[in-house]
Amino acid sequence: MGGFQSRLANRGMLKLCQLDSVLLVFIVTWSSGSPRAVAETTLASSVNDVRVLIDVSGSMRQNDPKNLRIPALKLLVNLLPPESNAGIWLFAADVVELAPNSEVHQKWKSTALKSTKKIHSRGLFTNIEAALENAIEGWSPQAATNRRSIILLTDGVVDVSKDKAQSTESRTRIIQSLMPRIQQISAQVFTIALSKNADHELLEKIAFDTGGWNESVHSAEQLQRVFLKMFKKAIPQDSVPLEANKFKIDSSIKEFSILVFRKAGASGARLIDSNGVELSEKDVDESLNWRHESGYDLVTVKNPVSGEWELVADVDPDNQVMIVTDLKLKLEELPNYVAENEFLDISVSFTEQGRRITRSDFLNLVSLDLQQTDVLGRKRDWRMEPGKAQKGSYVQAVGETLSPGVQTFRIVADGGTFQREIEQSLNVVDNPISLNVSGDIDSEPSKIRISLSPNPDIIDLNNLQIIATIGNAAGERKDLVVESGNGVWRMALDIPPKGDRLVINFSVAGKPLRGNAVAPKVRPVILDQNTLAELFPPEEDNL
């Protein structure tokens, strides 16, 4: 299911005021002499496919005069893990390949890193439509099992011609035609606006409609950290906590990479392993790769010794230790956008070699702590408890703490002999319209029912119109005016044929009780086979 959808609360009903349970997955092995966990229930994995679009229009001379897009892109390239797919393009009036869309391996990385010097600020126009069209080439709905991400960096508006009408038409096509296609192929677009003059409304809409993320960058000096954030959104990484510049490496970790941001004029970082041996950039060998780039060090250590390590560098909240290990911590699609009145069920479970662990003697050894930090820096802590619905899971429900703005969730697992950490952010949208989707098994034939409930204390219900645009996998689209009654706007749909995928976008126009006209955002509804399985579960699932 899409991240905005909830798990079943009742038989045959899906409530979008609640969200998918968030699944954090651990793969656990133990060192010699330790008990070996037994796992059950294989969990599916997918390949990460990331496509990067970099604006090289002439306005970048003002917004990125030092061409800091180069070190930011180098950081992204260096972070891309093996067995992922990636491609990079530059765009202005035309789209030019910088690194071919391919499986990521050392040769591809070398080519991509050398090619970053081709990034310039001489292009004419800003053809965002052509860039996005190029990025989705080769993706189809039938192959949407992979995690697909587009990272789009621009400092401008849609500008394809000296004729402003042509640029307006291009912008309209992005919204009305291109976005539904991107939704159909299950791709998320992560947008970065590098200028106050960028089309923030469009970039925010692209990110919102595709379930991606939007960042506005005030200075090119922020690009490295923003690219890191987008990378973590596109490809969540296994990591261990870095506290007071110290971190623990256990025997299951085959390799770690520590990213260290440096202030201007600061000396290079150093590492001290658990035996007290100091490592620096001068000590590079087959087991140590030290990349000293503008603004950061990225250090990779293969077959590290177990125990507590220390980083000798300035403390920075964006520094982190990413690991390659059989002891994994994975986050399954925490939604990037939720509404203020929604709820989030965070669920974690352990796996070994892709299979969920359910043995109590293993699960009782581990503590799981969840911390939420809101946009004002206020924190809320929970100790996660065993879930009742699924053996081997740990669950924490949050909802009343989801205030508008960016919320950051940090989950730390401590098993005594190991630690794991994962951190993700979501954006809580102050939205006065709640959305519900349910499966009606009593009607003949069965129907999918969608209702939208505006808050009557905020919205003037007599001056509200909601139009639903429904698109299918064949590219067909139709608009429906959603009918209202008793303060609720409702629509009913037939179950789509097997293999089809319906995407429903909502356009809302209305007036608040006070103030000017408003157009509240409502997240798209995606109806595919996974959604239908939850809307209409088999009878045996409800016994």
Side-chain angles (χ1 to χ4, degrees), residues 263-447:
K263 296 178 181 177
S267 58
R270 290 175 289 135
L271 288 175
I272 300 175
D273 72 14
S274 58
N275 294 325
V277 177
E278 183 173 294
L279 305 174
S280 69
E281 187 179 4
K282 299 177 182 178
D283 299 311
V284 175
D285 59 24
E286 291 184 356
S287 64
L288 182 65
N289 186 299
W290 204 296
R291 298 198 69 90
H292 186 81
E293 300 284 357
S294 174
Y296 66 89
D297 285 358
L298 181 62
V299 188
T300 299
V301 181
K302 296 181 179 179
N303 301 315
V305 295
S306 301
E308 185 175 75
W309 287 59
E310 182 178 0
L311 167 65
V312 182
D314 291 332
V315 174
D316 190 297
D318 288 329
N319 291 347
Q320 53 198 274
V321 184
M322 295 160 283
I323 58 175
V324 175
T325 178
D326 288 331
L327 182 60
K328 286 186 176 290
L329 176 62
K330 289 185 178 179
L331 180 62
E332 186 179 294
E333 208 60 42
L334 182 66
N336 287 319
Y337 294 94
V338 298
E340 185 179 7
N341 60 346
E342 297 187 21
F343 291 83
L344 187 67
D345 289 329
I346 299 181
S347 173
V348 300
S349 61
F350 300 88
T351 71
E352 183 175 25
Q353 297 179 351
R355 296 178 67 84
R356 184 176 291 112
I357 299 169
T358 57
R359 278 185 53 184
S360 298
D361 58 348
F362 167 76
L363 298 174
N364 291 339
L365 296 174
V366 184
S367 64
L368 291 158
D369 292 311
L370 170 67
Q371 183 177 79
Q372 175 190 349
T373 305
D374 69 12
V375 69
L376 298 177
R378 296 173 296 191
K379 298 182 185 299
R380 177 80 178 270
D381 296 291
W382 294 270
R383 172 60 58 88
M384 302 185 73
E385 300 293 336
K388 297 179 180 179
Q390 188 174 64
K391 188 176 181 181
S393 67
Y394 290 78
V395 177
Q396 177 61 52
V398 297
E400 70 277 2
T401 61
L402 294 179
S403 55
V406 175
Q407 308 283 322
T408 300
F409 290 92
R410 179 176 181 250
I411 302 98
V412 175
D414 193 331
T417 60
F418 70 89
Q419 289 184 327
R420 291 294 180 269
E421 174 189 67
I422 195 163
E423 183 176 286
Q424 274 287 5
S425 299
L426 58 83
N427 196 342
V428 181
V429 181
D430 184 7
N431 198 326
I433 299 179
S434 61
L435 174 68
N436 287 279
V437 178
S438 63
D440 184 354
I441 60 175
D442 295 324
S443 64
E444 185 60 43
S446 296
K447 294 283 187 180

Side-chain angles (χ1 to χ4, degrees), residues 49-53 87 89 101 134-139 149-151:
D49 196 338
V50 182
R51 303 184 179 184
V52 185
L53 303 171
W89 294 267
N101 183 40
N134 193 88
I136 66 174
E137 186 176 349
W139 280 343
S149 306
I150 299 171
I151 298 175

Side-chain angles (χ1 to χ4, degrees), residues 457-461 463 510-519:
D457 296 328
I458 300 175
I459 298 291
D460 182 355
L461 303 187
N463 289 282
K511 293 182 179 180
L513 295 180
R514 294 170 294 277
N516 298 322
V518 294

Side-chain angles (χ1 to χ4, degrees), residues 22 24 48 57 62 68 109 147 172 263 273 320 364 471 485:
V22 178
L24 303 178
N48 295 293
S57 59
Q62 290 76 43
L68 296 179
K109 283 193 173 187
R147 185 185 181 96
T172 300
K263 296 178 181 177
D273 72 14
Q320 53 198 274
N364 291 339

Side-chain angles (χ1 to χ4, degrees), residues 153-171:
L153 168 66
T154 182
D155 70 341
V157 300
V158 176
D159 181 20
V160 300
S161 168
K162 292 182 179 180
D163 183 351
K164 291 185 177 180
Q166 292 185 24
S167 296
T168 300
E169 291 169 1
S170 177
R171 188 182 190 276

